[in-house]
Short mmCIF file of all heavy atoms in Angstrom, two decimals:
data_model
loop_
_atom_site.label_atom_id
_atom_site.label_comp_id
_atom_site.label_asym_id
_atom_site.label_seq_id
_atom_site.Cartn_x
_atom_site.Cartn_y
_atom_site.Cartn_z
N ILE A 379 195.41 -155.09 32.73
CA ILE A 379 196.43 -154.42 33.55
C ILE A 379 196.37 -154.94 34.99
O ILE A 379 197.32 -155.53 35.48
CB ILE A 379 196.26 -152.89 33.50
CG1 ILE A 379 196.42 -152.40 32.05
CG2 ILE A 379 197.28 -152.21 34.42
CD1 ILE A 379 196.14 -150.92 31.87
N LYS A 380 195.26 -154.73 35.67
CA LYS A 380 195.12 -155.26 37.02
C LYS A 380 193.69 -155.09 37.52
O LYS A 380 192.89 -154.37 36.93
CB LYS A 380 196.08 -154.55 37.99
CG LYS A 380 195.83 -153.06 38.13
CD LYS A 380 196.81 -152.45 39.13
CE LYS A 380 196.60 -150.93 39.23
NZ LYS A 380 197.50 -150.32 40.23
N ARG A 381 193.39 -155.77 38.61
CA ARG A 381 192.10 -155.56 39.28
C ARG A 381 192.28 -154.39 40.23
O ARG A 381 193.19 -154.36 41.05
CB ARG A 381 191.66 -156.81 40.03
CG ARG A 381 190.41 -156.58 40.88
CD ARG A 381 189.83 -157.86 41.42
NE ARG A 381 189.17 -158.64 40.36
CZ ARG A 381 188.38 -159.68 40.60
NH1 ARG A 381 188.17 -160.08 41.84
NH2 ARG A 381 187.83 -160.35 39.61
N GLU A 382 191.39 -153.42 40.13
CA GLU A 382 191.52 -152.20 40.91
C GLU A 382 190.74 -152.23 42.21
O GLU A 382 191.19 -151.71 43.23
CB GLU A 382 191.05 -151.00 40.07
CG GLU A 382 191.72 -150.86 38.71
CD GLU A 382 193.17 -150.42 38.81
OE1 GLU A 382 193.68 -150.26 39.94
OE2 GLU A 382 193.79 -150.23 37.76
N LEU A 383 189.55 -152.84 42.19
CA LEU A 383 188.67 -152.76 43.34
C LEU A 383 187.64 -153.86 43.25
O LEU A 383 187.25 -154.27 42.16
CB LEU A 383 187.95 -151.39 43.34
CG LEU A 383 187.17 -150.97 44.58
CD1 LEU A 383 188.12 -150.70 45.74
CD2 LEU A 383 186.36 -149.71 44.27
N ARG A 384 187.20 -154.34 44.38
CA ARG A 384 186.09 -155.30 44.40
C ARG A 384 185.27 -155.08 45.65
O ARG A 384 185.74 -154.50 46.64
CB ARG A 384 186.58 -156.74 44.31
CG ARG A 384 187.41 -157.23 45.48
CD ARG A 384 187.85 -158.68 45.25
NE ARG A 384 188.76 -159.15 46.28
CZ ARG A 384 188.38 -159.68 47.44
NH1 ARG A 384 187.09 -159.80 47.72
NH2 ARG A 384 189.28 -160.09 48.32
N ILE A 385 184.03 -155.56 45.64
CA ILE A 385 183.15 -155.38 46.78
C ILE A 385 183.64 -156.21 47.97
O ILE A 385 184.39 -157.17 47.82
CB ILE A 385 181.70 -155.75 46.45
CG1 ILE A 385 181.59 -157.21 45.98
CG2 ILE A 385 181.13 -154.83 45.39
CD1 ILE A 385 180.15 -157.67 45.81
N LEU A 386 183.22 -155.77 49.13
CA LEU A 386 183.57 -156.43 50.41
C LEU A 386 185.08 -156.50 50.61
O LEU A 386 185.62 -157.47 51.11
CB LEU A 386 182.96 -157.84 50.46
CG LEU A 386 181.44 -157.91 50.23
CD1 LEU A 386 180.97 -159.36 50.29
CD2 LEU A 386 180.70 -157.08 51.24
N GLN A 387 185.75 -155.42 50.20
CA GLN A 387 187.21 -155.36 50.31
C GLN A 387 187.61 -154.01 50.87
O GLN A 387 187.12 -152.98 50.44
CB GLN A 387 187.87 -155.56 48.95
CG GLN A 387 189.40 -155.49 48.98
CD GLN A 387 190.00 -155.53 47.58
OE1 GLN A 387 189.55 -154.84 46.69
NE2 GLN A 387 191.01 -156.34 47.42
N GLY A 388 188.52 -154.01 51.84
CA GLY A 388 189.10 -152.77 52.32
C GLY A 388 188.20 -152.01 53.28
O GLY A 388 187.13 -152.48 53.68
N PRO A 389 188.65 -150.79 53.70
CA PRO A 389 187.86 -149.99 54.64
C PRO A 389 186.55 -149.54 54.01
O PRO A 389 186.45 -149.35 52.81
CB PRO A 389 188.77 -148.78 54.90
CG PRO A 389 189.65 -148.68 53.68
CD PRO A 389 189.88 -150.11 53.26
N GLU A 390 185.52 -149.37 54.87
CA GLU A 390 184.20 -148.95 54.39
C GLU A 390 183.76 -149.83 53.22
O GLU A 390 183.50 -149.37 52.12
CB GLU A 390 184.21 -147.48 53.99
CG GLU A 390 184.56 -146.53 55.11
CD GLU A 390 183.48 -146.47 56.18
OE1 GLU A 390 182.36 -146.95 55.94
OE2 GLU A 390 183.77 -145.94 57.25
N GLU A 391 183.70 -151.13 53.48
CA GLU A 391 183.50 -152.11 52.42
C GLU A 391 182.33 -151.76 51.51
O GLU A 391 181.24 -151.44 51.95
CB GLU A 391 183.27 -153.49 53.03
CG GLU A 391 184.51 -154.04 53.73
CD GLU A 391 184.23 -155.38 54.38
OE1 GLU A 391 183.05 -155.71 54.54
OE2 GLU A 391 185.19 -156.08 54.72
N LEU A 392 182.57 -151.85 50.20
CA LEU A 392 181.54 -151.64 49.19
C LEU A 392 180.55 -152.81 49.20
O LEU A 392 180.95 -153.96 49.22
CB LEU A 392 182.17 -151.56 47.81
CG LEU A 392 182.83 -150.24 47.39
CD1 LEU A 392 183.71 -150.49 46.18
CD2 LEU A 392 181.78 -149.21 47.07
N ALA A 393 179.27 -152.49 49.15
CA ALA A 393 178.26 -153.54 49.03
C ALA A 393 177.95 -153.81 47.57
O ALA A 393 177.54 -154.91 47.21
CB ALA A 393 177.00 -153.14 49.78
N SER A 394 178.13 -152.80 46.72
CA SER A 394 177.91 -152.95 45.29
C SER A 394 178.63 -151.83 44.57
O SER A 394 179.02 -150.83 45.16
CB SER A 394 176.40 -152.92 44.96
OG SER A 394 175.87 -151.64 45.24
N ILE A 395 178.82 -152.00 43.26
CA ILE A 395 179.43 -150.97 42.43
C ILE A 395 178.50 -150.69 41.27
O ILE A 395 178.23 -151.55 40.43
CB ILE A 395 180.81 -151.42 41.90
CG1 ILE A 395 181.76 -151.73 43.05
CG2 ILE A 395 181.41 -150.33 41.01
CD1 ILE A 395 183.08 -152.33 42.60
N SER A 396 177.99 -149.46 41.21
CA SER A 396 177.06 -149.07 40.16
C SER A 396 177.78 -148.39 39.00
O SER A 396 177.56 -148.73 37.85
CB SER A 396 175.99 -148.14 40.73
OG SER A 396 175.18 -147.61 39.71
N SER A 397 178.64 -147.42 39.30
CA SER A 397 179.37 -146.70 38.26
C SER A 397 180.61 -146.06 38.85
O SER A 397 180.77 -145.99 40.07
CB SER A 397 178.48 -145.63 37.61
OG SER A 397 178.16 -144.62 38.54
N VAL A 398 181.49 -145.60 37.97
CA VAL A 398 182.75 -144.97 38.38
C VAL A 398 182.97 -143.73 37.53
O VAL A 398 182.78 -143.76 36.31
CB VAL A 398 183.95 -145.93 38.20
CG1 VAL A 398 185.25 -145.23 38.58
CG2 VAL A 398 183.77 -147.18 39.04
N SER A 399 183.37 -142.65 38.16
CA SER A 399 183.79 -141.45 37.44
C SER A 399 185.26 -141.19 37.75
O SER A 399 185.64 -141.03 38.92
CB SER A 399 182.96 -140.23 37.88
OG SER A 399 181.63 -140.35 37.47
N ALA A 400 186.09 -141.20 36.70
CA ALA A 400 187.51 -140.90 36.86
C ALA A 400 187.71 -139.40 36.69
O ALA A 400 187.09 -138.78 35.83
CB ALA A 400 188.33 -141.68 35.85
N HIS A 401 188.60 -138.81 37.49
CA HIS A 401 188.85 -137.37 37.43
C HIS A 401 190.26 -137.08 37.90
O HIS A 401 191.02 -138.01 38.23
CB HIS A 401 187.82 -136.61 38.26
CG HIS A 401 187.59 -137.18 39.63
ND1 HIS A 401 188.41 -136.92 40.70
CD2 HIS A 401 186.62 -138.02 40.08
CE1 HIS A 401 187.96 -137.56 41.77
NE2 HIS A 401 186.88 -138.25 41.42
N GLU A 402 190.64 -135.83 37.92
CA GLU A 402 192.03 -135.47 38.21
C GLU A 402 192.45 -135.82 39.63
O GLU A 402 193.65 -135.92 39.92
CB GLU A 402 192.24 -133.97 37.99
CG GLU A 402 191.36 -133.07 38.83
CD GLU A 402 191.61 -131.59 38.54
OE1 GLU A 402 192.80 -131.21 38.47
OE2 GLU A 402 190.62 -130.84 38.38
N TYR A 403 191.50 -136.03 40.54
CA TYR A 403 191.83 -136.34 41.93
C TYR A 403 191.81 -137.84 42.21
O TYR A 403 192.26 -138.27 43.27
CB TYR A 403 190.84 -135.64 42.86
CG TYR A 403 190.64 -134.19 42.54
CD1 TYR A 403 189.47 -133.76 41.89
CD2 TYR A 403 191.61 -133.23 42.83
CE1 TYR A 403 189.28 -132.43 41.57
CE2 TYR A 403 191.42 -131.89 42.51
CZ TYR A 403 190.25 -131.50 41.88
OH TYR A 403 190.06 -130.18 41.55
N GLY A 404 191.25 -138.62 41.31
CA GLY A 404 191.14 -140.05 41.53
C GLY A 404 189.87 -140.61 40.95
O GLY A 404 189.57 -140.41 39.76
N PHE A 405 189.06 -141.27 41.81
CA PHE A 405 187.86 -141.95 41.33
C PHE A 405 186.71 -141.75 42.31
O PHE A 405 186.88 -141.88 43.52
CB PHE A 405 188.12 -143.45 41.16
CG PHE A 405 189.28 -143.76 40.26
CD1 PHE A 405 190.56 -143.89 40.79
CD2 PHE A 405 189.11 -143.88 38.89
CE1 PHE A 405 191.65 -144.17 39.96
CE2 PHE A 405 190.18 -144.14 38.06
CZ PHE A 405 191.46 -144.28 38.59
N THR A 406 185.53 -141.46 41.76
CA THR A 406 184.30 -141.41 42.55
C THR A 406 183.47 -142.62 42.17
O THR A 406 183.12 -142.80 41.00
CB THR A 406 183.52 -140.11 42.27
OG1 THR A 406 184.33 -138.99 42.64
CG2 THR A 406 182.22 -140.09 43.06
N VAL A 407 183.18 -143.47 43.14
CA VAL A 407 182.48 -144.73 42.90
C VAL A 407 181.09 -144.65 43.52
O VAL A 407 180.95 -144.33 44.71
CB VAL A 407 183.25 -145.92 43.51
CG1 VAL A 407 182.49 -147.23 43.27
CG2 VAL A 407 184.65 -146.00 42.93
N LYS A 408 180.06 -144.94 42.73
CA LYS A 408 178.71 -145.02 43.27
C LYS A 408 178.46 -146.44 43.73
O LYS A 408 178.62 -147.40 42.98
CB LYS A 408 177.66 -144.64 42.23
CG LYS A 408 176.23 -144.64 42.79
CD LYS A 408 175.22 -144.21 41.73
CE LYS A 408 173.82 -144.12 42.34
NZ LYS A 408 173.28 -145.44 42.73
N GLY A 409 178.10 -146.57 44.99
CA GLY A 409 177.80 -147.87 45.56
C GLY A 409 176.31 -148.13 45.57
O GLY A 409 175.59 -147.84 44.61
N GLU A 410 175.81 -148.64 46.67
CA GLU A 410 174.39 -148.97 46.79
C GLU A 410 173.58 -147.72 47.11
O GLU A 410 173.99 -146.89 47.93
CB GLU A 410 174.21 -150.03 47.88
CG GLU A 410 172.82 -150.63 47.94
CD GLU A 410 172.75 -151.79 48.89
OE1 GLU A 410 173.68 -151.96 49.71
OE2 GLU A 410 171.76 -152.55 48.82
N GLY A 411 172.42 -147.59 46.46
CA GLY A 411 171.54 -146.46 46.74
C GLY A 411 172.19 -145.13 46.40
O GLY A 411 172.67 -144.91 45.30
N TRP A 412 172.22 -144.23 47.38
CA TRP A 412 172.77 -142.90 47.20
C TRP A 412 174.16 -142.76 47.83
O TRP A 412 174.63 -141.66 48.10
CB TRP A 412 171.85 -141.86 47.82
CG TRP A 412 170.53 -141.70 47.12
CD1 TRP A 412 169.92 -142.58 46.26
CD2 TRP A 412 169.66 -140.57 47.22
NE1 TRP A 412 168.73 -142.07 45.83
CE2 TRP A 412 168.54 -140.85 46.39
CE3 TRP A 412 169.70 -139.37 47.91
CZ2 TRP A 412 167.46 -139.95 46.27
CZ3 TRP A 412 168.65 -138.48 47.78
CH2 TRP A 412 167.55 -138.77 46.97
N THR A 413 174.83 -143.87 48.06
CA THR A 413 176.13 -143.86 48.73
C THR A 413 177.27 -143.80 47.72
O THR A 413 177.28 -144.54 46.74
CB THR A 413 176.29 -145.11 49.62
OG1 THR A 413 175.22 -145.16 50.56
CG2 THR A 413 177.61 -145.06 50.38
N PHE A 414 178.24 -142.93 48.00
CA PHE A 414 179.40 -142.74 47.12
C PHE A 414 180.68 -142.91 47.92
O PHE A 414 180.73 -142.65 49.12
CB PHE A 414 179.37 -141.36 46.48
CG PHE A 414 178.33 -141.20 45.41
CD1 PHE A 414 176.99 -141.00 45.76
CD2 PHE A 414 178.67 -141.26 44.07
CE1 PHE A 414 176.02 -140.86 44.77
CE2 PHE A 414 177.70 -141.12 43.08
CZ PHE A 414 176.37 -140.92 43.43
N TYR A 415 181.73 -143.35 47.22
CA TYR A 415 183.04 -143.58 47.81
C TYR A 415 184.08 -142.82 47.00
O TYR A 415 184.08 -142.87 45.77
CB TYR A 415 183.39 -145.07 47.80
CG TYR A 415 182.41 -145.95 48.54
CD1 TYR A 415 181.18 -146.30 47.97
CD2 TYR A 415 182.70 -146.44 49.81
CE1 TYR A 415 180.27 -147.10 48.66
CE2 TYR A 415 181.81 -147.25 50.50
CZ TYR A 415 180.59 -147.57 49.91
OH TYR A 415 179.70 -148.36 50.59
N GLU A 416 184.96 -142.12 47.69
CA GLU A 416 186.05 -141.40 47.03
C GLU A 416 187.36 -142.17 47.21
O GLU A 416 187.69 -142.59 48.32
CB GLU A 416 186.19 -139.99 47.61
CG GLU A 416 184.98 -139.10 47.39
CD GLU A 416 184.83 -138.65 45.95
OE1 GLU A 416 185.81 -138.74 45.19
OE2 GLU A 416 183.71 -138.21 45.58
N HIS A 417 188.08 -142.35 46.09
CA HIS A 417 189.39 -143.02 46.10
C HIS A 417 190.39 -142.12 45.40
O HIS A 417 190.03 -141.37 44.48
CB HIS A 417 189.32 -144.37 45.38
CG HIS A 417 188.40 -145.36 46.03
ND1 HIS A 417 188.85 -146.39 46.82
CD2 HIS A 417 187.04 -145.47 46.01
CE1 HIS A 417 187.82 -147.10 47.26
NE2 HIS A 417 186.71 -146.55 46.78
N ASP A 418 191.66 -142.19 45.84
CA ASP A 418 192.67 -141.40 45.16
C ASP A 418 193.12 -142.09 43.88
O ASP A 418 192.56 -143.13 43.49
CB ASP A 418 193.85 -141.09 46.09
CG ASP A 418 194.66 -142.34 46.48
OD1 ASP A 418 194.49 -143.41 45.84
OD2 ASP A 418 195.46 -142.23 47.41
N LYS A 419 194.15 -141.55 43.22
CA LYS A 419 194.58 -142.11 41.93
C LYS A 419 195.16 -143.51 42.05
O LYS A 419 195.25 -144.24 41.06
CB LYS A 419 195.61 -141.17 41.30
CG LYS A 419 195.02 -139.86 40.82
CD LYS A 419 196.07 -139.02 40.11
CE LYS A 419 195.46 -137.75 39.56
NZ LYS A 419 196.46 -136.92 38.84
N GLU A 420 195.57 -143.90 43.27
CA GLU A 420 196.08 -145.26 43.51
C GLU A 420 195.00 -146.18 44.06
O GLU A 420 195.31 -147.26 44.55
CB GLU A 420 197.28 -145.20 44.47
CG GLU A 420 198.41 -144.30 44.01
CD GLU A 420 198.96 -144.71 42.66
OE1 GLU A 420 199.10 -145.93 42.44
OE2 GLU A 420 199.24 -143.82 41.84
N TRP A 421 193.76 -145.74 44.00
CA TRP A 421 192.62 -146.50 44.49
C TRP A 421 192.63 -146.69 46.00
O TRP A 421 192.06 -147.65 46.53
CB TRP A 421 192.48 -147.85 43.79
CG TRP A 421 192.01 -147.74 42.37
CD1 TRP A 421 192.78 -147.73 41.26
CD2 TRP A 421 190.66 -147.58 41.92
NE1 TRP A 421 192.00 -147.57 40.13
CE2 TRP A 421 190.70 -147.48 40.49
CE3 TRP A 421 189.43 -147.51 42.56
CZ2 TRP A 421 189.54 -147.32 39.73
CZ3 TRP A 421 188.28 -147.36 41.79
CH2 TRP A 421 188.35 -147.27 40.40
N LYS A 422 193.27 -145.78 46.72
CA LYS A 422 193.23 -145.82 48.18
C LYS A 422 191.98 -145.08 48.65
O LYS A 422 191.71 -143.96 48.22
CB LYS A 422 194.48 -145.18 48.76
CG LYS A 422 195.76 -145.96 48.48
CD LYS A 422 196.98 -145.29 49.09
CE LYS A 422 198.24 -146.08 48.79
NZ LYS A 422 199.45 -145.41 49.34
N PHE A 423 191.24 -145.73 49.54
CA PHE A 423 189.99 -145.16 50.04
C PHE A 423 190.23 -143.84 50.75
O PHE A 423 191.14 -143.71 51.57
CB PHE A 423 189.31 -146.15 50.98
CG PHE A 423 188.09 -145.60 51.66
CD1 PHE A 423 186.89 -145.51 50.99
CD2 PHE A 423 188.16 -145.18 52.99
CE1 PHE A 423 185.76 -145.00 51.62
CE2 PHE A 423 187.04 -144.67 53.62
CZ PHE A 423 185.85 -144.58 52.93
N GLN A 424 189.39 -142.84 50.44
CA GLN A 424 189.50 -141.53 51.07
C GLN A 424 188.32 -141.24 52.01
O GLN A 424 188.52 -140.87 53.16
CB GLN A 424 189.58 -140.45 50.00
CG GLN A 424 190.75 -140.60 49.05
CD GLN A 424 192.09 -140.44 49.75
OE1 GLN A 424 192.38 -139.39 50.33
NE2 GLN A 424 192.90 -141.49 49.71
N ARG A 425 187.12 -141.41 51.52
CA ARG A 425 185.95 -141.12 52.34
C ARG A 425 184.70 -141.70 51.68
O ARG A 425 184.70 -142.06 50.52
CB ARG A 425 185.78 -139.61 52.56
CG ARG A 425 185.59 -138.82 51.29
CD ARG A 425 185.61 -137.31 51.54
NE ARG A 425 185.54 -136.55 50.29
CZ ARG A 425 186.60 -136.29 49.54
NH1 ARG A 425 187.81 -136.71 49.91
NH2 ARG A 425 186.46 -135.60 48.42
N LYS A 426 183.65 -141.72 52.48
CA LYS A 426 182.36 -142.24 52.06
C LYS A 426 181.28 -141.25 52.48
O LYS A 426 181.37 -140.63 53.54
CB LYS A 426 182.12 -143.60 52.73
CG LYS A 426 180.71 -144.16 52.64
CD LYS A 426 180.63 -145.43 53.50
CE LYS A 426 179.21 -145.96 53.58
NZ LYS A 426 179.13 -147.16 54.44
N TYR A 427 180.25 -141.07 51.65
CA TYR A 427 179.16 -140.18 52.02
C TYR A 427 177.89 -140.61 51.30
O TYR A 427 177.93 -141.35 50.32
CB TYR A 427 179.49 -138.72 51.66
CG TYR A 427 179.96 -138.50 50.24
CD1 TYR A 427 179.05 -138.35 49.19
CD2 TYR A 427 181.32 -138.46 49.94
CE1 TYR A 427 179.48 -138.17 47.89
CE2 TYR A 427 181.76 -138.27 48.64
CZ TYR A 427 180.84 -138.13 47.62
OH TYR A 427 181.26 -137.95 46.33
N THR A 428 176.77 -140.14 51.81
CA THR A 428 175.48 -140.42 51.21
C THR A 428 174.85 -139.11 50.77
O THR A 428 174.84 -138.13 51.53
CB THR A 428 174.55 -141.13 52.21
OG1 THR A 428 175.15 -142.37 52.61
CG2 THR A 428 173.19 -141.41 51.58
N VAL A 429 174.36 -139.06 49.54
CA VAL A 429 173.75 -137.85 49.01
C VAL A 429 172.50 -137.51 49.82
O VAL A 429 171.69 -138.38 50.15
CB VAL A 429 173.38 -138.04 47.52
CG1 VAL A 429 172.56 -136.85 47.01
CG2 VAL A 429 174.65 -138.22 46.69
N TYR A 430 172.36 -136.23 50.17
CA TYR A 430 171.20 -135.81 50.94
C TYR A 430 170.77 -134.41 50.52
O TYR A 430 171.53 -133.66 49.89
CB TYR A 430 171.49 -135.85 52.44
CG TYR A 430 172.43 -134.76 52.93
CD1 TYR A 430 171.92 -133.59 53.49
CD2 TYR A 430 173.81 -134.90 52.83
CE1 TYR A 430 172.77 -132.59 53.95
CE2 TYR A 430 174.66 -133.90 53.28
CZ TYR A 430 174.14 -132.75 53.85
OH TYR A 430 174.98 -131.76 54.28
N ALA A 431 169.55 -134.06 50.86
CA ALA A 431 168.98 -132.74 50.59
C ALA A 431 168.81 -131.98 51.89
O ALA A 431 168.54 -132.57 52.94
CB ALA A 431 167.64 -132.87 49.87
#
Side-chain angles (χ1 to χ4, degrees):
I379 299 175
K380 62 179 177 178
R381 173 169 287 192
E382 306 289 3
L383 191 68
R384 64 181 174 87
I385 59 173
L386 306 179
Q387 179 186 46
E390 299 292 346
E391 293 178 344
L392 281 164
S394 66
I395 300 173
S396 172
S397 66
V398 178
S399 292
H401 47 82
E402 59 181 314
Y403 312 104
F405 304 91
T406 299
V407 179
K408 183 178 185 292
E410 190 172 15
W412 292 20
T413 303
F414 287 78
Y415 301 77
E416 297 288 342
H417 297 258
D418 67 14
K419 290 184 176 181
E420 304 302 320
W421 288 97
K422 293 181 180 178
F423 173 78
Q424 301 295 300
R425 60 188 175 277
K426 167 186 174 182
Y427 51 84
T428 300
V429 172
Y430 72 97

